[in-house]
DNA sequence: TCCCGTTAGATGCATATGCATCGGATCAGA
DNA sequence: TCTGATCCGATGCATATGCATCTAACGGGA
């Protein structure tokens, strides 16, 4: 693990490379988690993002692209594009909002509801797998609270 | 926060949407961290990934695409593509390995070394910002250990 | 020396993300 | 009722990622 770091690295760069960068650490963990969950969902033809979007479409009273982006804390454009494959595959439909023509109200198709249910089962399997392999110091619940806190770190400001 | 979840959500789906999915939580945190660090590095014309790759090029004795991918725990193809912008901008060079013609040995240019040093300073600023805003239960060090553990969760197996 | 299994890097393909921006629609005021 | 500030969704552009696959190159054993 120690790796073959050259001697003329500043302490700062050594820190960055040895797992002490919050950003790189979380991103590395993210890549791993996504691979694990996506693999679990692959048989159902879904990614974890797509499963989440289907779930929000079902869970929100009047789901729109913007709302989904807000709840998932991602850019509206990313949500917009993420939804396209789901429409293409006929899992969700899009209809103009009756009152506000700017909005499109999304809805699950029957096929979408089926895939969502199947995906949720596969998702639960992945969840259990992570729980079985992880034994964090303060407990998984605490870890989740802290990761979520990381997700709320202020955007910049200075 | 509670959101407007419809009543007919299975407990499973409710879990998935309310921040209890390890994958979605870490990914959300990852998005936020990347935005924060990328913003801090934007003035230097670098992303956090690019900074890390420059650092590995400097830190490894004989840096190659494969080695960087291994150390960053990402796919070789992702590393390969990530390095291209850095070459295009003249921050690193690529030369054929003397013994093994399959490999390309990467190296920092003077400009690359300069940008790396500048970027490291901006990175440290972002690190301090996260530290100032986060007060996790078990301490940041413990949190990092646990996030890194998440990054080592087995790839599948079942 | 020849052949096969392995390794390195590059590419095609598809999703994931964010920023800037555009055009259309809405809405709150003047 | 007109108008300027907002909001909504879509796009262009660029990076980020992973998987499968292809070609070239290596390496060891027959």
């Amino acid at each position: 693990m120690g790796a073959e770091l050259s001697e003329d690295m500043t302490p700062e760069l050594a820190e960055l490379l040895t797992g002490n960068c919050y950003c790189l650490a979380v991103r590395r963990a993210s890549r791993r988690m996504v691979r694990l969950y996506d693999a679990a969902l692959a048989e159902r033809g879904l990614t974890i993002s797509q499963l989440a979007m289907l779930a929000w479409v079902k869970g929100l009273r009047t789901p729109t692209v913007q709302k989904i982006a807000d709840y998932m804390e991602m850019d509206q454009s990313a949500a917009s594009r993420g939804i396209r494959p789901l429409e293409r595959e006929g899992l969700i439909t899009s209809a103009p909002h009756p009152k506000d023509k700017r909005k499109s109200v999304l809805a699950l198709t029957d096929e979408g509801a089926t895939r969502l249910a199947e995906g949720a089962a596969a998702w639960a399997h992945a969840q259990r797998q992570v729980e079985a392999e992880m034994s964090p110091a303060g407990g998984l619940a605490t870890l989740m609270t802290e990761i979520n806190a990381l997700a709320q770190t202020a955007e910049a400001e200075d």
Side-chain angles (χ1 to χ4, degrees), chain A:
Chain A
M1 269 289 125
E4 37 159 317
L5 284 188
S6 74
E7 301 83 36
D8 65 329
M9 295 296 275
T10 64
E12 217 161 54
L13 287 180
E15 282 282 300
L16 196 160
L17 297 183
T18 51
N20 292 298
C21 173
Y22 307 109
C23 182
L24 293 175
V26 173
R27 195 178 218 178
R28 200 160 44 236
S30 171
R31 279 196 295 261
R32 179 75 67 159
M33 287 291 104
V34 170
R35 281 200 297 271
L36 193 154
Y37 282 70
D38 276 2
L41 289 164
E43 310 165 67
R44 306 306 181 179
L46 291 175
T47 65
I48 179 63
S49 282
Q50 294 173 339
L51 179 68
M53 287 192 275
L54 287 182
W56 279 115
V57 168
K58 177 180 172 114
L60 297 176
R61 278 195 292 271
T62 53
T64 63
V65 169
Q66 185 62 59
K67 265 188 198 170
I68 290 176
D70 287 344
Y71 283 110
M72 293 182 72
E73 291 174 57
M74 57 162 59
D75 195 88
Q76 162 267 136
S77 65
S80 175
R81 283 183 235 263
I83 283 171
R84 204 169 320 183
L86 299 174
E87 267 190 276
R88 172 162 32 87
E89 286 195 55
L91 304 185
I92 64 179
T93 56
S94 172
H97 188 289
K99 301 286 182 59
D100 189 337
K101 293 172 189 166
R102 289 172 304 179
K103 304 178 183 175
S104 289
V105 180
L106 306 173
L108 281 186
T109 62
D110 288 345
E111 169 71 3
T114 302
R115 293 276 281 280
L116 172 57
E118 293 174 346
W123 169 80
H125 184 58
Q127 285 279 103
R128 287 196 299 273
Q129 187 179 338
V130 173
E131 282 161 359
E133 296 182 22
M134 282 282 296
S135 301
L140 260 184
T142 302
L143 174 57
M144 287 299 276
T145 300
E146 297 174 344
I147 287 176
N148 282 313
L150 261 189
Q152 281 154 31
T153 300
E155 197 68 46
E157 21 123 334
D158 90 302

